[in-house]
Amino acid sequence: MKIHDLITTTGALDELCARLAKSEFVSVDTEFMRENTYWPELCLVQIANEHEAAAIDPMADGIDLTSLLELMCNNEDVLKVFHAGGQDVEIIYNLTGKTPHPIFDTQIAMMAISQSEQIGYANMVESWLGITVDKGARFTDWGRRPLTERQIEYAIGDVTFLSDIFPKLLKKLIKTGRGAWLNAEMEKLADPANYAADGDKAWLRIRQAGRNPIVLGRLKAIAAWRENEAKHKNIPRGRIMRDETLADLAGHPPKNQADLAKVRGLSNSWKDNDIGKRLMNVLETAEPLPKHELPEKVGRGAPLGKEGALVADLLKLLLKVRCREIDIASRLLTKSDELEALAAGVRKLPILEGWRYEVFGKEALELVEGRMAFTVKDGKMVMTHLGNASGEGEADSDGAGSEPQPGDDEPLPAQHAAE
């Protein structure tokens, strides 16, 4: 593979992108800094196909990234391959208002063909290529110039190894027939709504017990205010106020600005400065949260009463057994809180929709509703439909009858590879 010198001019970038635009796929990674800013500062972009790789310096004087961003967001013929690419996609969205498409994330793909939960890049490289990645340059200052040769070599490795792994990973995925699963997950990753910094939704990230509309209305108002303050100052939202402090203010608002000095997590200066004044104005004008925005009420233990926790434990055991049977990471299927909600009687859940329902949700629902039970047969744990004495319909540990067969569905990248 040809490794180019660091690209610092628009001309060299345009020539590279013109060649890469003819590829079936490109692997992409970014290096950025965001410790001291609200908006991540893009410091380096690495890109490769099967034949060439380059690092691009977006901080170089006069460089125009238009051809690169066009390749990322407007070229539907080239698949963009990332590993744990959420933050990389966010940066591109911030620059363009669009997300890379079509997109493929190898971390998500690994969960579909193994029980690896969010496998790290270095571990994936070790597993597929037998190469140990030098992570020494990982936490260097990517914003400082000039970049060292070690930094550039480390950064380039993130995409050259990815370009070697992707075709192998794709080949294995095609054999599993799990393409439909991944297509849905990749479309979620590429959904621009995930990356829009919407202040009105900022409160949803903050833990807050209860469903009191007045408290939640204050929480929503303060969270939106903090988001706007952080954007305006371009500093991390936690520098304005930590989540814990925000939730405390929503639940126990001060009577006047002077009382802000008594709030844990706020400095004494808030009692008489402008930011404290703005905060008090938000608290005083906050409206109760509308009924349609209230979080769904989950009846604790209903309809299972005090046995609900035990039922949730059975669901977790079923999940563990099922994931072992079909060799899939449990995180790709569901999470513990969703299983607890199912045990408590909630039925509007992702696990009861689409491919997740077919693979696991159907059995989980039957278990909760008393139509399926755990049994042991020939030393193996199996799931048996109650009332089926003949054993017909048992789901034994090889997962027969439930697993898609090779060739049923091919992942999105296979379609591009075949074109």
Side-chain angles (χ1 to χ4, degrees), residues 43-216:
C43 301
L44 197 68
V45 180
Q46 307 93 270
I47 190 166
N49 61 11
E50 294 177 284
H51 309 294
E52 59 181 322
I56 303 152
D57 185 359
M59 301 177 72
D61 187 32
I63 193 168
D64 184 345
L65 300 180
T66 298
S67 60
L68 175 66
L69 298 176
E70 285 283 326
L71 174 62
M72 289 293 100
C73 302
N74 296 330
N75 189 327
E76 290 287 322
D77 296 324
V78 180
L79 183 71
K80 293 82 182 180
V81 180
F82 296 83
H83 181 82
Q87 293 189 89
D88 305 307
V89 173
E90 177 191 2
I91 288 174
I92 295 171
Y93 175 84
N94 289 341
L95 292 172
T96 64
K98 300 178 181 180
T99 58
H101 194 272
I103 193 171
F104 186 90
D105 192 305
T106 54
Q107 186 179 73
I108 296 174
M110 283 294 294
M111 288 194 282
I113 61 171
S114 70
Q115 296 176 60
S116 300
E117 302 281 350
Q118 292 187 305
I119 187 171
Y121 182 73
N123 289 335
M124 187 179 73
V125 172
E126 176 74 31
S127 173
W128 284 89
L129 303 179
I131 296 172
T132 300
V133 175
D134 178 9
K135 296 186 287 187
R138 182 180 179 186
F139 296 109
T140 59
D141 184 352
W142 293 102
R144 181 177 297 177
R145 292 297 183 272
L147 294 169
T148 66
E149 290 186 9
R150 185 188 182 201
Q151 283 179 302
I152 297 173
E153 181 180 357
Y154 164 83
I156 286 284
D158 282 350
V159 290
T160 55
F161 295 143
L162 199 55
S163 290
D164 289 338
I165 292 170
F166 171 67
K168 304 175 190 292
L169 179 57
L170 175 60
K171 186 176 180 180
K172 185 169 182 179
L173 279 167
I174 292 173
K175 290 181 179 179
T176 67
R178 296 176 181 178
W181 305 3
L182 285 179
N183 287 346
E185 296 307 303
M186 301 310 171
E187 288 304 312
K188 287 181 185 178
L189 180 64
D191 185 354
N194 295 328
Y195 309 98
D198 187 347
D200 284 341
K201 295 182 179 179
W203 70 282
L204 297 172
R205 296 191 297 262
I206 302 169
R207 282 184 169 272
Q208 176 66 44
R211 299 175 69 250
N212 185 314
I214 296 175
V215 172
L216 293 181

